[in-house]
Amino acid sequence: MSDVAQRSRVRASDLLPVGTVGLRSRRVRAALSMLGVAVGIAAVVAVLGITRSSQADLLARIDRLGTNLLTVANGRTFGGGQEVPLPPTAAATIARVDGVLGTAPTAALPGVTATRSDLIQAQRGGGASVRATDPTLLPTLDGHLVSGVFLNEATMRYPTAVLGYRAAETLGIADLTGDPRIAINGRTYAVIGILEHLELAPEIDGSVLIGFPAAAAQFDYDGHPTRIYVRAQTDRTVEVRGLLARATSPTAPEQVDVSRPSETLTARLAAADAGTALFLGLGAVALFVGGIGIANVMVISVLERRGEIGLRRALGATRAHVAVQFLIESVLLGAAGGLLGLLAGAAITRGLAYQRGWQPLIPPEAIGLALAGAVVIGALAGLYPAVRAARLAPTDALRST
């Protein structure tokens, strides 16, 4: 018997047919085992793919919008008490700061509301806030118009208005067909332009814009801006940001609020990374559960196939041959589940990216890690059942059947 065992060997070409006997004879069980691993791998690949696609889209938007836009707004007294207005000369002094390319002052007009008609009461809904500005706003924000023109030195002195993107939706004005008019605190204003969406200036999106002279003449504007947009040289943005508060108010720079709108978008990247870690953890849990499922199926398979194991051992198969047979079976279950999960995760990524208008991106490392992880899970799950099968003595295995 020992001579037979010494001579016994399994050719490499026989490993696959022998290792797939259990899979081919118990197809439904094999499919359900693969499904557990597939769910975990699909979750991991989809999370990484969707995250990479959304981050690439967000980074492209940040690059397109520019990271050199800064805002200077009203601050508050020490302890967060009373709001402190910006000086009337703030925009002019900021424009003299080295590294500043352009400035655009704006002022929110409290108690002034625009409605579609003077017959509509603003407090009942349907109104939009009103801001005063000048022609420098559009180039400073690098904004564009859906239709019409922006305020200029002539029109800003008259009852003319430009609508922000959301303000136009609120007032129900999609274009300038028919020369639309709106009512601002009962006064009729002609709409001469509609702005495109400004992602870095949502307060402009929701506002109706009028000229400073018109605001002073009709709504008692006192000359104090409430928010100033500053476009700086890209490579000097951080330096300029540190100078703006003192340039705005030399005597009380701590009462000036300076911010960088693009940081809001950048913060979304950090939030997305945190969410990615959470979902990857859930995917890992699903993958672990799938591995337990494979281990359970393999243990049952060993118990059901004692007769086969005993017969193979009696015919000369070594313990290593039996262990390799069951190990190959579990590895194939893991690999097949991994491949299925990879395809499912890629399909989910492409579908969601297409729906959101993103370019679908699946990191190459996600593909490699998914397949490697599935194979490792399959190998670990099959290790104990394989060792258990190998330890069965031929006589005991045949007797138990």
Side-chain angles (χ1 to χ4, degrees), residues 254-282:
E254 70 281 357
Q255 296 178 356
V256 178
D257 183 16
V258 180
S259 63
R260 191 174 182 178
S262 60
E263 288 180 343
T264 303
L265 297 179
T266 306
R268 286 169 54 186
L269 290 175
D273 287 337
T276 298
L278 173 62
F279 286 115
L280 284 179
L282 295 176

Side-chain angles (χ1 to χ4, degrees), residues 74 84-90 105-110 132 212 220-228:
N74 291 347
V84 179
L86 299 176
T89 58
T106 65
L109 302 178
F212 281 126
D220 299 324
Y221 169 59
D222 60 5
H224 290 273
T226 57
R227 185 179 298 271
I228 302 172

Side-chain angles (χ1 to χ4, degrees), residues 2-388:
S2 60
D3 293 337
V4 174
Q6 290 175 1
R7 294 193 303 270
S8 178
R9 62 187 181 87
V10 176
R11 294 175 299 180
S13 59
D14 293 332
L15 288 175
L16 189 61
V18 170
T20 57
V21 169
L23 302 181
R24 288 182 277 118
S25 59
R26 298 169 177 82
R27 296 179 181 178
V28 175
R29 182 186 297 176
L32 293 176
S33 301
M34 288 188 294
L35 187 60
V37 176
V39 169
I41 294 297
V44 171
V45 173
V47 166
L48 291 176
I50 292 171
T51 301
R52 179 65 62 87
S53 301
S54 64
Q55 286 182 345
D57 178 73
L58 186 55
L59 287 172
R61 284 158 57 193
I62 291 175
D63 291 339
R64 185 173 63 251
L65 295 169
T67 58
N68 61 336
L69 181 67
L70 303 168
T71 63
V72 177
N74 291 347
R76 291 186 177 276
T77 56
F78 182 75
Q82 186 177 1
E83 185 174 296
V84 179
L86 299 176
T89 58
T93 57
I94 289 173
R96 291 194 290 267
V97 173
D98 193 22
V100 171
L101 299 177
T103 62
T106 65
L109 302 178
V112 181
T113 306
T115 56
R116 188 67 178 87
S117 166
D118 56 3
L119 299 179
I120 299 175
Q121 296 183 18
Q123 61 269 27
R124 294 186 179 179
S129 60
V130 179
R131 287 178 178 268
T133 187
D134 63 24
T136 61
L137 181 66
L138 196 64
T140 301
L141 291 180
D142 193 21
H144 302 278
L145 291 155
V146 175
S147 60
V149 296
F150 197 67
L151 297 168
N152 56 40
E153 294 295 335
T155 56
M156 70 176 184
R157 300 177 181 279
Y158 297 98
T160 57
V162 174
L163 309 183
Y165 186 80
R166 283 190 294 105
E169 292 181 342
T170 300
L171 297 173
I173 299 175
D175 53 48
L176 302 183
T177 303
D179 298 325
R181 301 286 193 273
I182 59 173
I184 301 180
N185 279 22
R187 300 174 183 270
T188 301
Y189 271 67
V191 177
I192 62 172
I194 300 174
L195 289 173
E196 288 185 357
H197 174 51
L198 296 170
E199 191 157 12
L200 295 184
E203 60 282 347
I204 299 297
D205 263 357
S207 299
V208 172
L209 305 176
I210 64 174
F212 281 126
Q218 299 184 351
F219 305 111
D220 299 324
Y221 169 59
D222 60 5
H224 290 273
T226 57
R227 185 179 298 271
I228 302 172
Y229 298 92
V230 182
R231 185 69 71 173
Q233 294 177 11
T234 303
D235 57 346
R236 302 184 64 181
T237 303
V238 176
E239 176 189 350
V240 171
R241 182 178 183 179
L243 300 173
L244 289 183
R246 188 162 296 278
T248 303
S249 179
T251 59
E254 70 281 357
Q255 296 178 356
V256 178
D257 183 16
V258 180
S259 63
R260 191 174 182 178
S262 60
E263 288 180 343
T264 303
L265 297 179
T266 306
R268 286 169 54 186
L269 290 175
D273 287 337
T276 298
L278 173 62
F279 286 115
L280 284 179
L282 295 176
V285 170
L287 192 58
F288 177 72
V289 172
I292 293 177
I294 291 180
N296 185 49
V297 167
M298 294 304 299
V299 169
I300 295 174
S301 180
V302 170
L303 295 176
E304 291 179 344
R305 296 163 64 184
R306 288 182 179 180
E308 174 192 336
I309 296 170
L311 182 60
R312 290 197 64 215
R313 291 296 311 280
L315 293 176
T318 64
R319 294 180 184 272
H321 295 161
V322 174
V324 167
Q325 173 187 350
F326 284 91
L327 194 59
I328 288 176
E329 186 173 330
S330 64
V331 168
L332 288 175
L333 279 174
L339 182 59
L340 181 62
L342 179 60
L343 296 175
I348 293 171
T349 300
R350 291 185 67 87
L352 187 59
Y354 176 79
Q355 180 184 1
R356 299 290 180 88
W358 302 336
Q359 179 184 0
L361 296 174
I362 299 177
E365 59 270 21
I367 299 175
L369 287 175
L371 293 177
V375 170
V376 169
I377 286 293
L380 293 177
L383 191 59
Y384 170 71
V387 171
R388 181 170 180 173

